[in-house]
Amino acid sequence: MRRGSRHLNSDDVMALKYTKKVMDHFLHPRNMGELKDADVEATDGSPACGDMMTIGLKIDPKTHKILDVKFKSYGCASNIATASVITEMVKGRTLEEAKKIKWNAAAEELDGLPPVKMHCSVLAAKTLMDAIRKYEKMHGLLEGGEEELSAENIRLELRNIINPEMGIDIVRLKMVKGISVKKGVVKIRISMGNTDRVYEDSIREEIEEHVKAMRGVKRVEVGFST
Ligand code: FES
Protein backbone atom coordinates (compact mmCIF):
# COMPACT_ATOMS: atom_id res chain seq x y z
CA MET A 1 0.00 0.00 0.00
CA ARG A 2 1.08 3.55 -0.59
CA ARG A 3 2.24 5.73 2.28
CA GLY A 4 -0.54 7.10 4.41
CA SER A 5 -3.00 4.40 3.31
CA ARG A 6 -4.10 1.24 5.10
CA HIS A 7 -6.59 -1.55 4.64
CA LEU A 8 -10.05 -0.98 6.07
CA ASN A 9 -11.42 -3.00 8.95
CA SER A 10 -15.12 -3.88 9.29
CA ASP A 11 -15.85 -0.74 11.37
CA ASP A 12 -14.38 1.43 8.62
CA VAL A 13 -16.49 -0.37 6.02
CA MET A 14 -19.69 0.38 7.92
CA ALA A 15 -18.59 3.99 8.58
CA LEU A 16 -18.29 4.61 4.83
CA LYS A 17 -22.05 4.11 4.42
CA TYR A 18 -21.99 1.84 1.42
CA THR A 19 -25.18 1.25 -0.54
CA LYS A 20 -27.09 -2.02 -0.21
CA LYS A 21 -25.85 -3.08 -3.64
CA VAL A 22 -22.21 -2.46 -2.71
CA MET A 23 -22.62 -4.51 0.46
CA ASP A 24 -24.37 -7.29 -1.47
CA HIS A 25 -21.60 -7.51 -4.10
CA PHE A 26 -18.89 -7.19 -1.44
CA LEU A 27 -20.32 -9.93 0.76
CA HIS A 28 -21.45 -12.18 -2.13
CA PRO A 29 -19.07 -11.36 -5.00
CA ARG A 30 -19.99 -12.74 -8.42
CA ASN A 31 -17.32 -14.14 -10.73
CA MET A 32 -14.61 -14.18 -8.06
CA GLY A 33 -11.81 -16.73 -8.36
CA GLU A 34 -9.41 -18.04 -10.94
CA LEU A 35 -10.41 -18.70 -14.55
CA LYS A 36 -8.40 -21.86 -15.20
CA ASP A 37 -8.75 -21.84 -19.03
CA ALA A 38 -8.53 -18.06 -19.46
CA ASP A 39 -7.51 -16.85 -22.93
CA VAL A 40 -6.04 -13.71 -21.41
CA GLU A 41 -5.28 -12.32 -17.97
CA ALA A 42 -4.31 -8.86 -16.79
CA THR A 43 -3.09 -7.65 -13.42
CA ASP A 44 -3.20 -4.02 -12.48
CA GLY A 45 -2.55 -1.85 -9.45
CA SER A 46 -4.16 1.36 -8.26
CA PRO A 47 -1.76 4.30 -8.13
CA ALA A 48 -4.01 5.80 -5.45
CA CYS A 49 -3.64 3.00 -2.88
CA GLY A 50 -1.22 0.40 -4.25
CA ASP A 51 -3.80 -2.40 -4.19
CA MET A 52 -3.83 -5.00 -6.96
CA MET A 53 -6.30 -7.14 -8.86
CA THR A 54 -6.35 -9.67 -11.69
CA ILE A 55 -9.04 -10.36 -14.30
CA GLY A 56 -9.15 -13.37 -16.61
CA LEU A 57 -11.32 -13.64 -19.73
CA LYS A 58 -12.53 -16.54 -21.88
CA ILE A 59 -13.39 -15.19 -25.31
CA ASP A 60 -15.15 -16.73 -28.31
CA PRO A 61 -12.56 -16.44 -31.12
CA LYS A 62 -15.25 -16.00 -33.82
CA THR A 63 -17.82 -13.68 -32.24
CA HIS A 64 -15.40 -12.02 -29.78
CA LYS A 65 -18.02 -12.43 -27.07
CA ILE A 66 -16.86 -12.72 -23.46
CA LEU A 67 -17.90 -16.27 -22.55
CA ASP A 68 -16.56 -16.19 -19.01
CA VAL A 69 -14.78 -13.78 -16.70
CA LYS A 70 -13.31 -14.08 -13.22
CA PHE A 71 -11.42 -11.75 -10.92
CA LYS A 72 -9.12 -11.91 -7.92
CA SER A 73 -8.83 -8.82 -5.78
CA TYR A 74 -6.34 -7.71 -3.15
CA GLY A 75 -8.25 -4.44 -2.87
CA CYS A 76 -10.99 -3.14 -0.60
CA ALA A 77 -14.77 -3.59 -0.38
CA SER A 78 -15.39 -1.02 -3.15
CA ASN A 79 -12.96 -2.75 -5.46
CA ILE A 80 -14.46 -6.20 -4.84
CA ALA A 81 -18.00 -4.84 -5.33
CA THR A 82 -17.08 -3.01 -8.55
CA ALA A 83 -15.18 -5.98 -9.94
CA SER A 84 -18.19 -8.17 -9.13
CA VAL A 85 -20.69 -5.87 -10.85
CA ILE A 86 -18.54 -4.99 -13.88
CA THR A 87 -17.80 -8.65 -14.58
CA GLU A 88 -21.57 -9.29 -14.52
CA MET A 89 -22.09 -6.35 -16.88
CA VAL A 90 -19.59 -7.59 -19.49
CA LYS A 91 -20.31 -11.32 -19.46
CA GLY A 92 -21.93 -12.30 -22.77
CA ARG A 93 -21.03 -8.97 -24.39
CA THR A 94 -18.64 -8.55 -27.32
CA LEU A 95 -15.27 -6.92 -26.68
CA GLU A 96 -16.46 -3.74 -28.44
CA GLU A 97 -19.54 -3.58 -26.19
CA ALA A 98 -17.49 -4.30 -23.07
CA LYS A 99 -15.03 -1.48 -23.89
CA LYS A 100 -17.86 1.03 -23.63
CA ILE A 101 -18.53 0.11 -19.99
CA LYS A 102 -16.50 2.55 -17.90
CA TRP A 103 -15.79 2.77 -14.17
CA ASN A 104 -18.52 5.38 -13.62
CA ALA A 105 -21.18 3.10 -15.20
CA ALA A 106 -20.14 0.33 -12.79
CA ALA A 107 -20.24 2.74 -9.83
CA GLU A 108 -23.72 3.88 -10.91
CA GLU A 109 -24.86 0.27 -11.15
CA LEU A 110 -23.88 -0.04 -7.47
CA ASP A 111 -25.98 3.08 -6.66
CA GLY A 112 -22.77 5.01 -6.04
CA LEU A 113 -19.61 4.79 -3.98
CA PRO A 114 -18.16 7.18 -1.39
CA PRO A 115 -16.06 9.86 -3.20
CA VAL A 116 -12.78 8.68 -1.66
CA LYS A 117 -13.44 5.17 -2.97
CA MET A 118 -14.11 5.99 -6.63
CA HIS A 119 -10.51 5.13 -7.55
CA CYS A 120 -11.29 1.52 -6.51
CA SER A 121 -13.84 1.27 -9.33
CA VAL A 122 -11.28 2.80 -11.73
CA LEU A 123 -8.93 -0.07 -10.81
CA ALA A 124 -11.59 -2.69 -11.63
CA ALA A 125 -12.53 -1.08 -14.96
CA LYS A 126 -8.89 -0.46 -15.95
CA THR A 127 -7.86 -4.07 -15.24
CA LEU A 128 -10.75 -5.27 -17.40
CA MET A 129 -9.75 -2.88 -20.22
CA ASP A 130 -6.11 -4.02 -19.96
CA ALA A 131 -7.20 -7.65 -20.34
CA ILE A 132 -9.30 -6.75 -23.41
CA ARG A 133 -6.49 -4.73 -24.99
CA LYS A 134 -4.01 -7.52 -24.31
CA TYR A 135 -6.30 -10.00 -26.08
CA GLU A 136 -6.80 -7.60 -28.99
CA LYS A 137 -3.04 -7.16 -29.35
CA MET A 138 -2.40 -10.91 -29.16
CA HIS A 139 -4.97 -11.52 -31.93
CA GLY A 140 -4.22 -8.49 -34.15
CA LEU A 141 -7.63 -6.94 -33.51
CA LEU A 142 -6.44 -3.40 -32.83
CA GLU A 143 -7.54 -1.20 -35.70
CA GLY A 144 -4.75 1.07 -36.88
CA GLY A 145 -2.27 -0.49 -34.43
CA GLU A 146 -1.18 1.30 -31.26
CA GLU A 147 -2.72 4.61 -30.26
CA GLU A 148 -0.54 7.63 -30.94
CA LEU A 149 0.58 9.79 -28.04
CA SER A 150 -1.59 12.87 -28.34
CA ALA A 151 -3.11 15.48 -26.04
CA GLU A 152 -6.52 13.97 -26.80
CA ASN A 153 -5.47 10.47 -25.71
CA ILE A 154 -3.81 11.85 -22.58
CA ARG A 155 -7.03 13.70 -21.74
CA LEU A 156 -8.91 10.40 -22.10
CA GLU A 157 -6.45 8.76 -19.69
CA LEU A 158 -6.90 11.64 -17.22
CA ARG A 159 -10.58 10.71 -16.99
CA ASN A 160 -9.34 7.87 -14.79
CA ILE A 161 -7.93 10.26 -12.18
CA ILE A 162 -10.45 10.94 -9.46
CA ASN A 163 -10.52 14.02 -7.25
CA PRO A 164 -10.85 12.22 -3.88
CA GLU A 165 -12.72 15.13 -2.36
CA MET A 166 -15.61 14.95 -4.84
CA GLY A 167 -15.35 11.44 -6.29
CA ILE A 168 -15.44 12.90 -9.82
CA ASP A 169 -12.69 12.72 -12.41
CA ILE A 170 -10.43 15.73 -12.93
CA VAL A 171 -11.45 16.19 -16.59
CA ARG A 172 -15.14 16.43 -15.77
CA LEU A 173 -14.30 18.87 -12.97
CA LYS A 174 -12.47 21.02 -15.56
CA MET A 175 -9.29 20.88 -13.49
CA VAL A 176 -7.18 20.08 -16.58
CA LYS A 177 -6.19 23.44 -18.02
CA GLY A 178 -3.58 22.39 -20.55
CA ILE A 179 -1.81 19.38 -22.06
CA SER A 180 1.20 19.54 -24.35
CA VAL A 181 3.25 16.73 -25.87
CA LYS A 182 6.66 17.15 -27.47
CA LYS A 183 9.12 14.33 -28.20
CA GLY A 184 7.68 12.15 -25.45
CA VAL A 185 7.70 14.94 -22.83
CA VAL A 186 4.18 15.54 -21.52
CA LYS A 187 3.32 18.76 -19.68
CA ILE A 188 0.01 19.01 -17.85
CA ARG A 189 -1.43 22.05 -16.10
CA ILE A 190 -3.92 21.44 -13.31
CA SER A 191 -6.05 24.00 -11.52
CA MET A 192 -6.99 22.95 -7.99
CA GLY A 193 -9.91 25.42 -7.96
CA ASN A 194 -11.86 24.87 -4.75
CA THR A 195 -10.21 21.51 -4.09
CA ASP A 196 -8.33 21.21 -0.79
CA ARG A 197 -4.58 21.54 -1.56
CA VAL A 198 -4.02 18.57 0.71
CA TYR A 199 -4.94 16.37 -2.31
CA GLU A 200 -2.40 17.99 -4.63
CA ASP A 201 0.34 15.40 -4.06
CA SER A 202 -1.92 12.39 -4.54
CA ILE A 203 -3.43 13.88 -7.72
CA ARG A 204 0.08 14.61 -9.05
CA GLU A 205 1.28 11.07 -8.25
CA GLU A 206 -1.75 9.50 -9.92
CA ILE A 207 -1.35 11.62 -13.05
CA GLU A 208 2.35 10.73 -13.26
CA GLU A 209 1.74 7.00 -12.82
CA HIS A 210 -1.14 6.85 -15.33
CA VAL A 211 0.54 8.97 -18.01
CA LYS A 212 4.02 7.42 -17.61
CA ALA A 213 2.43 4.04 -18.39
CA MET A 214 1.31 5.34 -21.81
CA ARG A 215 3.36 4.23 -24.80
CA GLY A 216 5.99 6.74 -25.95
CA VAL A 217 6.06 8.86 -22.77
CA LYS A 218 9.57 9.77 -21.61
CA ARG A 219 8.79 12.34 -18.94
CA VAL A 220 5.73 13.86 -17.28
CA GLU A 221 5.66 17.34 -15.75
CA VAL A 222 2.59 18.35 -13.76
CA GLY A 223 2.11 22.00 -12.77
CA PHE A 224 -0.53 23.23 -10.33
CA SER A 225 -2.33 26.52 -9.87
CA THR A 226 -5.28 27.57 -7.73
FE1 FES B 1 -7.30 0.20 -2.76
FE2 FES B 1 -9.94 0.41 -2.72
S1 FES B 1 -8.51 1.35 -1.36
S2 FES B 1 -8.73 -0.69 -4.12
Side-chain angles (χ1 to χ4, degrees):
M1 274 190 296
R2 174 168 288 195
R3 63 181 156 73
S5 67
R6 64 184 176 87
H7 279 291
L8 302 174
N9 60 35
S10 55
D11 289 343
D12 294 326
V13 169
M14 295 319 290
L16 278 168
K17 293 197 174 48
Y18 283 125
T19 65
K20 277 191 185 145
K21 277 195 187 170
V22 173
M23 290 309 292
D24 177 38
H25 279 272
F26 168 49
L27 294 172
H28 312 285
R30 284 59 139 181
N31 306 312
M32 189 156 81
E34 184 147 7
L35 192 54
K36 292 259 176 336
D37 56 349
D39 293 314
V40 67
E41 224 178 48
T43 297
D44 221 321
S46 165
C49 63
D51 289 334
M52 309 273 294
M53 69 172 297
T54 299
I55 289 187
L57 299 172
K58 181 87 195 144
I59 294 162
D60 185 310
K62 287 203 179 83
T63 61
H64 299 146
K65 273 194 180 167
I66 297 174
L67 302 174
D68 204 359
V69 49
K70 285 216 183 307
F71 76 93
K72 285 183 288 183
S73 168
Y74 305 95
C76 66
S78 299
N79 178 249
I80 291 169
T82 316
S84 169
V85 85
I86 206 167
T87 50
E88 275 201 320
M89 289 164 87
V90 299
K91 204 188 262 190
R93 305 266 191 126
T94 63
L95 296 179
E96 283 309 312
E97 288 167 346
K99 283 196 285 189
K100 292 187 184 126
I101 299 172
K102 308 289 186 202
W103 63 267
N104 35 359
E108 272 170 31
E109 190 66 26
L110 291 167
D111 294 336
L113 284 167
V116 291
K117 306 303 285 178
M118 283 296 187
H119 72 267
C120 316
S121 63
V122 171
L123 173 60
K126 188 168 184 310
T127 310
L128 174 69
M129 286 313 132
D130 283 355
I132 292 174
R133 286 183 64 81
K134 204 166 156 188
Y135 181 88
E136 287 179 326
K137 270 189 205 168
M138 282 160 53
H139 295 268
L141 300 174
L142 280 177
E143 284 170 26
E146 293 283 348
E147 280 170 4
E148 53 155 344
L149 184 63
S150 65
E152 196 186 332
N153 285 335
I154 292 166
R155 189 174 290 276
L156 282 178
E157 185 60 33
L158 295 181
R159 295 187 76 139
N160 293 318
I161 316 289
I162 312 298
N163 178 332
E165 198 176 350
M166 287 100 160
I168 299 171
D169 72 85
I170 60 173
V171 174
R172 216 154 33 112
L173 287 170
K174 301 195 183 340
M175 292 172 68
V176 182
K177 296 299 177 192
I179 302 170
S180 70
V181 193
K182 205 171 173 187
K183 295 184 180 164
V185 178
V186 178
K187 293 185 182 174
I188 299 170
R189 268 191 311 114
I190 300 292
S191 162
M192 289 302 278
N194 295 327
T195 304
D196 193 328
R197 299 293 291 230
V198 82
Y199 294 112
E200 192 175 300
D201 279 352
S202 71
I203 290 174
R204 180 200 307 278
E205 283 177 30
E206 274 215 65
I207 292 173
E208 285 175 353
E209 288 195 40
H210 274 263
V211 177
K212 267 184 198 159
M214 293 178 77
R215 195 167 164 268
V217 173
K218 291 186 185 136
R219 202 169 76 234
V220 184
E221 295 174 14
V222 187
F224 283 87
S225 61
T226 46

